[in-house]
Amino acid sequence: MRRIAILVTAALLLTGCSTTTTFDGTGARSDVGIQLFQWNWDSIASECTDVLGPAGVAWVLTSPPQEHIMGSAWWTAYQPVSYQIESRLGTREQFAAMVTTCHDAGVAVIVDAVINHMTGQDSGGTGWAGTEFGHYDYPDLYTEDDFHHCGLSDSDDITDYSSAGNVQTCELVNLADLATEKSSVQETIATYLNDLRSLGVDGFRIDAAKHMPAADVAAIVDRIDGDPYIVQEVIRTDGEPIQPEDYLGSGDVFEFGLAYQLVTWMKTGSLDSIATVGSYGFAPSEQAATFVDNHDTERNRQTLSYRDGAKYRLATMLLLASDYGSPVLYSGYAFTINDKGLPLDADGTVSDVSCVDQRDSYDDGEWVCQHRWPGVLGMVGWRSAVGSAPVHDEWSEDDAYAFGCGELGYVIFNASDAVVENDFETSLPAGDYCNVAAEGCDVVEVAADGVLSVAVPPWSAVAIHVDSRP
Ligand code: LM2
Ligand code: CA
């Protein structure tokens, strides 16, 4: 199996248009990832080949691949019963084939690792692959002694986010909390992660990292073979004792703060604020995984989501143009009830993905495929093309914001209901360019003096770069 190492090049040059973290060996042209929520292994494989590889997306984040509890809600995936790679999303064989196919397409595979806890079923049960379990008893993995019983609240549930002990040793919504400080538990978790490594997996999202002491996460990560990419979920809330920064020694962190900020900026139209994001007290750019939404925030409504249509698309494109952090796109399915999982095939597995086109409303269970919305993958190409060229030719007026990157690219965002028409001064060579923030190749022209005279439609962008000329 090909080992794919992560190479952080020129991460010190933070003045550029985008960071240049690359997944060396994948052939990917960008540092951009994509969370394919509840996509089955076969569908991820096809998407790698047909769409993500060609677009230069560096990595996919899968849903949890291990055996889970039965039930139709999507969140059954977040209740591990065993570490067999058998789930509603596919078999071990399908998973392994997906990893190989994605690698062949130049796309790395990052897995959602649920390692803080096991199930939340008081009475136990039988898992997807037939494993019988009790709430604190998992054959060949864990027994009673391997779990915390915090004794800090009536139910042993987490009740107090101002107490690190409560957050890290009590139960997150009744989920049996692993004693991650025990070296035997660390070893069992690492054996699972190394099994995935043996199938070619390139890295992990550490689910519920906030609920494990940073030292425990570090000890587990240390036991993983090779040098996997690590991105940790530590939801930022000001004033809490546990902060994302505590986890930087083990890898990157998702920057929730920026996702929340994007909601505000889309409301106020102050898109130029993204230029000063370095002063917001967020994680250091080279270790920040940025995103507009994820499967939790599209449900708790704390961020934008596909329901916001053009605003969501614009926020996604803004993130892709920013030199702060490395963007992780999100792609999921439509729902009106938070818990509701996808319609299942007769054998209980999740069906293959079939994307629908962008529109104003969706039926439950339709695959929204936000990443295929016009301009999104075009902006992945824009990001690759401008690399770390310095930002210049900045312009902002009302709800519009524009900037250039060296002589390589220029982008204009319009966060208003009105058309923004202007003569934008760029440093690009004269000639015709495709507007990659639109569908297909919508041609715009840079005049001999570098001026781009263009009308930007409401809630959209115009983006051009030297590698995309008709
Ligand atoms: C995560 N990150 O830290 C995931 O991103 C998030 O989606 C997970 O919650 C959570 N942590 C645990 O891995 C989801 C879902 C919860 C669901 C849990 C466990 O958002 O609603 O909880 O997975 O499946 C469900 C029920 C809850 C119940 C619990 C245990 O909603 O009411 O608690 O199962 O049976 C009694
Ligand atoms: Ca814990």
Side-chain angles (χ1 to χ4, degrees):
M1 205 55 60
R2 188 156 58 115
R3 170 76 50 84
I4 296 178
I6 278 79
L7 178 77
V8 180
T9 50
L12 302 173
L13 298 170
L14 284 179
T15 49
C17 271
S18 67
T19 56
T20 49
T21 308
T22 57
F23 282 69
D24 185 41
T26 62
R29 297 186 301 275
S30 73
D31 59 342
V32 178
I34 179 168
Q35 178 182 0
L36 296 176
F37 178 60
Q38 288 290 101
W39 283 50
N40 71 28
W41 310 146
D42 289 355
S43 296
I44 292 180
S46 307
E47 198 70 359
C48 280
T49 306
D50 298 342
V51 176
L52 304 175
V57 172
W59 51 273
V60 292
L61 167 60
T62 75
S63 282
Q66 85 296 317
E67 180 180 7
H68 49 77
I69 59 164
M70 296 301 288
S72 60
W74 61 267
W75 44 250
T76 58
Y78 288 92
Q79 299 196 31
V81 168
S82 80
Y83 294 143
Q84 293 178 61
I85 313 303
E86 296 290 338
S87 75
R88 286 194 191 290
L89 301 177
T91 63
R92 183 179 179 91
E93 289 66 37
Q94 288 170 312
F95 181 88
M98 174 272 288
V99 175
T100 303
T101 303
C102 287
H103 285 178
D104 288 346
V107 182
V109 177
I110 309 301
V111 161
D112 198 346
V114 183
I115 59 174
N116 168 65
H117 54 260
M118 297 299 277
T119 72
Q121 316 295 302
D122 281 333
S123 52
T126 304
W128 166 261
T131 302
E132 285 178 37
F133 66 96
H135 196 185
Y136 304 106
D137 185 21
Y138 300 85
D140 304 326
L141 293 179
Y142 306 116
T143 55
E144 182 70 40
D145 289 349
D146 296 322
F147 294 93
H148 292 140
H149 296 280
C150 70
L152 299 170
S153 65
D154 284 348
S155 55
D156 278 347
D157 263 8
I158 296 171
T159 51
D160 180 7
Y161 275 82
S162 71
S163 152
N166 188 295
V167 170
Q168 296 181 328
T169 65
C170 294
E171 294 180 346
L172 176 65
V173 293
N174 202 42
L175 299 163
D177 198 65
L178 284 164
T180 47
E181 70 282 4
K182 283 180 72 171
S183 64
S184 59
V185 168
Q186 294 171 359
E187 191 56 34
T188 302
I189 292 170
T191 301
Y192 162 49
L193 303 181
N194 284 328
D195 180 36
L196 289 164
R197 290 285 284 163
S198 77
L199 299 178
V201 164
D202 304 285
F204 303 98
R205 166 191 187 262
I206 308 295
D207 178 69
K210 185 193 264 189
H211 301 282
M212 296 177 277
D216 296 2
V217 175
I220 292 163
V221 167
D222 273 352
R223 291 175 192 259
I224 305 176
D225 298 334
D227 189 18
Y229 176 66
I230 299 292
V231 57
Q232 304 162 93
E233 191 220 19
V234 186
I235 301 175
R236 184 185 294 286
T237 309
D238 289 342
E240 282 185 7
I242 304 157
Q243 293 294 329
E245 283 69 21
D246 306 342
Y247 293 79
L248 295 175
S250 294
D252 290 2
V253 291
F254 283 105
E255 184 46 82
F256 281 74
L258 180 54
Y260 303 148
Q261 207 58 58
L262 285 170
V263 180
T264 308
W265 294 341
M266 286 297 143
K267 242 179 231 153
T268 58
S270 47
L271 302 190
D272 54 341
S273 301
I274 192 117
T276 59
V277 72
S279 66
Y280 278 71
F282 294 156
S285 178
E286 64 277 15
Q287 284 193 272
T290 59
F291 59 99
V292 177
D293 65 338
N294 66 28
H295 65 287
D296 292 323
T297 70
E298 71 170 348
R299 288 179 169 73
N300 66 25
R301 320 257 166 158
Q302 288 177 342
T303 62
L304 297 163
S305 76
Y306 74 94
R307 288 181 221 93
D308 295 294
K311 275 183 199 169
Y312 178 81
R313 182 174 154 256
L314 192 65
T316 303
M317 294 195 291
L318 183 68
L319 208 60
L320 286 166
S322 170
D323 63 350
Y324 173 75
S326 289
V328 184
L329 305 173
Y330 176 74
S331 194
Y333 62 88
F335 62 92
T336 46
I337 297 164
N338 277 0
D339 286 353
K340 204 164 164 190
L342 287 152
L344 302 171
D345 283 345
D347 61 358
T349 57
V350 171
S351 322
D352 290 346
V353 170
S354 119
C355 292
V356 300
D357 286 337
Q358 185 186 3
R359 50 176 194 263
D360 290 341
S361 76
Y362 299 86
D363 293 334
D364 276 10
E366 282 187 319
W367 294 99
V368 181
C369 299
Q370 296 94 308
H371 66 291
R372 293 201 197 173
W373 286 3
V376 172
L377 294 175
M379 285 304 296
V380 173
W382 187 92
R383 185 176 178 87
S384 309
V386 301
S388 53
V391 175
H392 61 172
D393 295 329
E394 255 185 299
W395 172 95
S396 87
E397 206 174 276
D398 300 328
D399 300 337
Y401 174 52
F403 63 91
C405 292
E407 297 173 7
L408 300 174
Y410 194 82
V411 61
I412 310 151
F413 298 97
N414 177 7
S416 80
D417 295 329
V419 174
V420 168
E421 213 169 339
N422 192 52
D423 294 337
F424 297 94
E425 283 173 31
T426 83
S427 300
L428 290 176
D432 284 347
Y433 292 82
C434 297
N435 170 15
V436 297
E439 186 88 77
C441 175
D442 172 24
V443 178
V444 296
E445 193 194 337
V446 172
D449 56 358
V451 169
L452 170 64
S453 302
V454 76
V456 188
W459 296 105
S460 64
V462 168
I464 59 177
H465 62 81
V466 287
D467 294 343
S468 184
R469 309 187 57 170

